[in-house]
Structure formats: structure tokens, C-alpha cells
Amino acid sequence: MSLSTVLSPVSLADAESQFRRDYPDYQTTRLLDELRATEYARLDRAGHVYLDYTGGGLYAESQVRAHLDLLMQGVFGNPHSSNPTSLAMTHLVERARAYVLQYFNASPDEYVVIFTQNASGALKLVGESYPFGPGGRYLLTFDNHNSVNGIREFARAKGAQVVYASVLPPDLRIDEAKLTAFLDRAQPEAHNLFAYPAQSNFSGVQHSLDWIEKAQAKGWDVLLDAAAFAPSNRLDLGRWRPDFVSLSFYKIFGYPTGVGALLARRAALAKLHRPWFAGGTVEVASVQGNRYYLHAGAEGFEDGTLNYLTLPAVEIGLKHIENIGVEVIHTRVARLTGWLLSELTALRHGNSAPVVRIYGPVDTRARGGTVTLNFYDPRGHFIDHRLVERLANQVNISLRTGCFCNPGGGELALGISAEELTSCFIKAENRLTLDEFRRCIDDKSTGAVRVSVGLATTFGDVYRFIQFARTFVDKLADEL
Ligand SMILES: Cc1ncc(COP(=O)(O)O)c(C=O)c1O
């Protein structure tokens, strides 16, 4: 199948003109069209439609060049020493650290930046070090990434209670009354941690940042997972003061991979107890004395040698985003998402049955550029997301399918009940394969299709996706 053979009622040029009339402030993001033609030209050279920005951002050519130039000109040693090459590296590492604080408007008196491998690494640091204990609680929303869900295992192992706060279909927004009731149950004599995503990587919903202060006022420490939010929204830590923030830099600016951060309030960091020590984290450790002193601040949380050569590229990447302006990226993402949502919801089969079902809000209020959906045939049968991915691959569209490491979002959206899941887990003596699991839950879809837009997305990209979506019109699931 080739997209050019698919009949569209409106040409790209006409559709784009109409789109620009409908969303006049899209014009304020024209710099991104220029950058697409220069910094991100490889997308069009290779004919790619990249729609997985929630999976990973894309880098500008100049980011890579600036980083390579730095590496080619400098001589950098392991920053754990104090020789000239080591000091040169330490200087750049500390510059990158300071720049991260500046980018998020976080006061160095209040926050520290701990470099990690990724957002999951940041989350694990909190999970393994938080003083969970009997009487304490770990409260989290349903629509978290697995790396936030996984913290429950640390909480349980230390005897804390784990509580999930539901999000409500169809919009998958927080059930405010329930969450407030859960927050009212903090145990004052124990430690209570509340975790939620600033933006869901399943539904794109942006949960209100007001929950941070509300929860803190009721005695909770707050872990804000900003991994999916930060790429196209300003996170101002001068205004919002979560105790911990997790993020991955590649999601914001594509390069380098392998670096994330935990931004932690100094006061909250002092509560954490690391379960071990490692090279780099100790000021003094003795074999015969059988004791150690951990470094204060970030260093006490950075195990071994940092991925130090990549850290200057973090500053380069953040500067690239600042030069564009995160508000410009935000506007672009919001308008393209608005158009995508209105086209997708309008798409109908000949018998007027909808072609897609969207999981999450179908308007752009308090949501980001992540749109999750399943395709349905005219008889209402869902089309397997894995087939959709295969068909998208054939026309060079990169999208994501499955549950995106966010099982809670998927279970609620797809209507899979706790009873069904529990019985499938119990029924099988040995673990089930994904296909067996699916058969166990009555052949329901265990996943969905996710398209997400970002700083290098053009109108042409989303137009091509809608053209692709049109190829499902009036097709029966068993004919595809
Ligand atoms: C909301 C959210 N949190 C956490 C993560 C984990 O990020 P990483 O895989 O970089 O550790 C992701 C990744 O997709 C995410 O979207």
C-alpha cells in the first residue's frame, strides 16, 4: 500500500491552508518549520513520518556537531580526580548541573540535580531510598509508567501500604473526590509518598500541578514524574515545588540517550537512606573500620562514574530548546494535536460507525500531544494494534503500539477488570505468553496505538497519519 494511492478528499495544501486558518497562532511556530528543513532534514530525506515523541525526542544536527566539536577539541579525564583533564571535565559536569537547575527555574538553595541513566533510574533512587515503613503509604495514580508502579515493591517490602487512586474513563482524568479522600489519610507518624505523572504517557492527560501543594499540605512527599511532560511544557520549579522530579533528557531533545535526572528538594533528599554505597558516593569508606560516610547532596546518589562525556550535551540540548522557546514547542504540539483529534473523531465508516476510539480527552484542554487509540471496523470489531503497526511500518510511519509500560492506563481504557486480570494470573501455573494472556481475558485488545507529536512535527506529518487512518475506512478486520 502506498499513501499516494489512497484517495483523500482534501489535498495536503488545501488541508494545511484550512488548518492555518483554524489555528492562526500556529504561525508563531514557523521557526520549527525552518528547523525541520535544516536541523531535522534527515526525516524528509528518508521519507519518515515520526510520531513517537513520547517514546523519544529527535535531536537537531547542530546539537551533535556542538558536542562532537567539544570532544574533538578537549582532553577530558574521569571527573573523580583532580588532575587537569579531570578538572576540565568536572567543570563541564558542574556547568551542566547548574544549567539544568536554571532551565527548570529551580533555586540551587532548594533543589539538587542528580544525574541518572534515565527517568527510571531517578525513580528507582527514590524507591529504594525512601523511608517507607509500617504505617506509611505509597499512593499513586492508576496511569503511571511502570517505573513509578515498580516503587510499590520497595514500599511493600518495607511494610508500607500501597494505594492506587483511580483515573476516570473516558477522559482518564483524576477522580478528584477519591484522591482528596486518599490524601486525607496520610499517617502523620510515618512517611507518605504520593507519585503521579505531570502528563500521562498513555492518555496524554496533564494532571493538575496543584496536587503537589495540596498533597504536601496534607503531609505527603510528592514525586512528580515529568518524563512525558517536560518535552513540550514548561516545568517551573520556582512555582511548583514537588519533592522529587524524574525525567529523561532524550525525551526532551533526542541526544544524548543514557542521561536522566532526579531533581530533589534538599529537605526531601535528607530523608532518603541509600541502601548501599558505591564508588563515587562515599567521602570515606573503610574495610577494617566497617563504616562509611556518604557524600552530602547529589554525589551521594550518583553510583560509580557518571556518563560524564555526555553531560555537556545536556547543556547543549537545553540551550537548543531555550533558543526555540518551550512555549513555541507547546503551541505547535497543542495545535497539531487539536487537528489530529478533530480529524480522528470525525472519521466514519460508510455505515457512520466511528473508525477510531480515542482513550483520553478528545479536546486539547489540559492534555499533551500524545493520542492513544484503537481502530475499529464497520461492525465494531477492533483491529489488532500489532497489525496497525505493521501497516504503518509499510508506509514509513513510526508510531508506538502496546501499553507503553503504562498497564493501569491500558486496563482502565480497554475495560479489563481486576477480576479478569487476577484470574488469568492465578489460572496459569507457569507464566502466560502475551497471546495466551489475551485469550484468557476474552480476546480483548491488550493494547492500543499511540501517536505523539513533538518539536519537529509538521502539518504534513499529521496529515499523512490521517491519510493512513483513512485506509481503514470500510475495511473489515478479517480482510486486513
Ligand atoms: C511518563 C514516563 N515516565 C517514565 C518513563 C521512563 O523513562 P525511561 O525509559 O527513559 O527511564 C517514561 C518513558 O516513556 C514515561 O513516558
Side-chain angles (χ1 to χ4, degrees):
M1 177 182 57
S2 142
L3 281 187
S4 56
T5 64
V6 175
L7 285 180
S8 161
V10 189
S11 71
L12 169 60
D14 287 348
E16 184 156 5
S17 305
Q18 185 59 48
F19 165 74
R20 286 177 182 275
R21 279 195 295 279
D22 291 344
Y23 299 93
D25 65 349
Y26 187 73
Q27 180 60 11
T28 61
T29 74
R30 63 186 171 278
L31 169 65
L32 289 168
D33 285 311
E34 288 162 26
L35 293 182
R36 169 68 177 250
T38 51
E39 294 280 7
Y40 302 91
R42 62 191 186 281
L43 281 165
D44 295 310
R45 271 200 306 272
H48 281 291
V49 174
Y50 184 80
L51 292 173
D52 190 19
Y53 285 85
T54 304
L58 296 181
Y59 51 83
E61 286 178 22
S62 60
Q63 281 172 249
V64 182
R65 237 180 274 115
H67 187 218
L68 280 189
D69 283 351
L70 183 95
L71 298 183
M72 302 290 268
Q73 283 160 27
V75 181
F76 300 113
N78 186 318
H80 282 154
S81 304
S82 31
N83 59 53
T85 51
S86 172
L87 289 174
M89 194 66 242
T90 301
H91 172 68
L92 292 178
V93 169
E94 293 315 314
R95 251 181 63 170
R97 213 187 284 284
Y99 207 83
V100 172
L101 285 177
Q102 184 184 320
Y103 180 85
F104 290 104
N105 192 28
S107 158
D109 295 331
E110 189 173 5
Y111 278 95
V112 295
V113 174
I114 297 162
F115 285 119
T116 59
Q117 210 183 352
N118 43 36
S120 302
L123 292 160
K124 184 167 181 238
L125 275 181
V126 178
E128 70 184 12
S129 315
Y130 191 77
F132 290 118
R137 295 200 167 171
Y138 180 43
L139 170 65
L140 65 169
T141 54
F142 243 73
D143 62 340
N144 272 299
H145 189 274
N146 263 339
S147 302
V148 180
N149 288 323
I151 292 177
R152 73 185 187 205
E153 302 305 316
F154 291 116
R156 278 188 188 138
K158 291 184 184 166
Q161 195 188 355
V162 176
V163 184
Y164 273 101
S166 199
V167 295
L168 295 173
D171 277 9
L172 301 175
R173 293 193 190 278
I174 281 176
D175 181 340
E176 301 203 353
K178 282 236 172 79
L179 179 57
T180 305
F182 284 135
L183 288 173
D184 282 336
R185 285 186 226 149
Q187 299 296 312
E189 69 290 352
H191 294 282
N192 306 280
L193 181 66
F194 169 49
Y196 76 105
Q199 179 174 317
S200 165
N201 71 323
F202 185 89
S203 62
V205 163
Q206 294 181 342
H207 299 305
S208 171
L209 298 180
D210 288 335
W211 289 110
I212 299 167
E213 212 175 292
K214 282 188 206 162
Q216 286 169 334
K218 291 174 190 281
W220 296 82
D221 295 311
V222 177
L223 166 55
L224 184 75
D225 179 15
F229 180 83
S232 47
N233 299 277
R234 185 170 294 288
L235 178 62
D236 181 348
L237 295 180
R239 172 157 183 225
W240 311 105
R241 295 194 158 80
D243 297 280
F244 307 104
V245 178
S246 52
L247 48 91
S248 279
F249 290 110
Y250 72 88
K251 290 201 192 281
I252 307 178
F253 41 75
Y255 172 88
T257 49
V259 195
L262 172 66
L263 279 77
R265 286 178 74 195
R266 289 180 185 277
L269 199 64
K271 275 193 177 183
L272 302 187
H273 302 292
R274 297 226 56 206
W276 80 321
F277 63 88
T281 65
V282 282
E283 220 159 63
V284 179
S286 158
V287 169
Q288 297 184 77
N290 204 21
R291 299 276 300 271
Y292 67 94
Y293 298 146
L294 215 58
H295 274 298
E299 269 182 289
F301 289 81
E302 291 172 343
D303 295 340
T305 301
L306 281 171
N307 191 353
Y308 56 87
L309 287 178
T310 65
L311 294 180
V314 169
E315 181 178 342
I316 292 167
L318 289 175
K319 283 187 170 151
H320 175 66
I321 301 294
E322 276 190 331
N323 287 339
I324 298 167
V326 74
E327 276 76 17
V328 170
I329 297 168
H330 179 87
T331 302
R332 182 140 185 128
V333 164
R335 300 304 165 255
L336 292 174
T337 305
W339 187 82
L340 255 181
L341 289 168
S342 63
E343 291 292 308
L344 286 169
T345 47
L347 211 53
R348 301 279 147 169
H349 293 291
N351 64 1
S352 79
V355 176
V356 301
R357 177 161 169 220
I358 293 171
Y359 306 113
V362 291
D363 60 23
T364 52
R365 184 184 67 82
R367 64 124 60 237
T370 301
V371 179
T372 294
L373 52 99
N374 265 321
F375 285 89
Y376 283 81
D377 81 358
R379 295 175 307 195
H381 295 157
F382 81 87
I383 295 164
D384 192 321
H385 54 90
R386 292 167 299 183
L387 172 63
V388 176
E389 181 170 38
R390 279 201 297 279
L391 295 171
N393 290 351
Q394 287 169 16
V395 290
N396 229 9
I397 295 178
S398 292
L399 40 74
R400 177 87 187 259
T401 59
C403 254
F404 335 124
C405 296
N406 190 324
E411 288 161 23
L412 284 180
L414 302 168
I416 306 170
S417 68
E419 292 71 33
E420 282 172 300
L421 289 159
T422 311
S423 84
C424 291
F425 273 118
I426 291 172
K427 235 186 243 169
E429 246 169 53
N430 298 312
R431 53 190 272 173
L432 299 176
T433 64
L434 186 59
D435 277 334
E436 287 164 343
F437 207 91
R438 200 159 102 173
R439 280 195 290 280
C440 180
I441 54 166
D442 263 352
D443 237 9
K444 286 185 179 168
S445 177
T446 49
V449 176
R450 182 179 77 184
V451 292
S452 51
V453 298
L455 89 173
T457 311
T458 58
F459 180 78
D461 292 329
V462 289
Y463 176 84
R464 280 180 67 190
F465 177 72
I466 293 298
Q467 296 290 79
F468 170 70
R470 283 184 197 288
T471 62
F472 292 91
V473 171
D474 288 336
K475 294 269 168 50
L476 294 177
D478 42 24
E479 285 170 4
L480 281 159

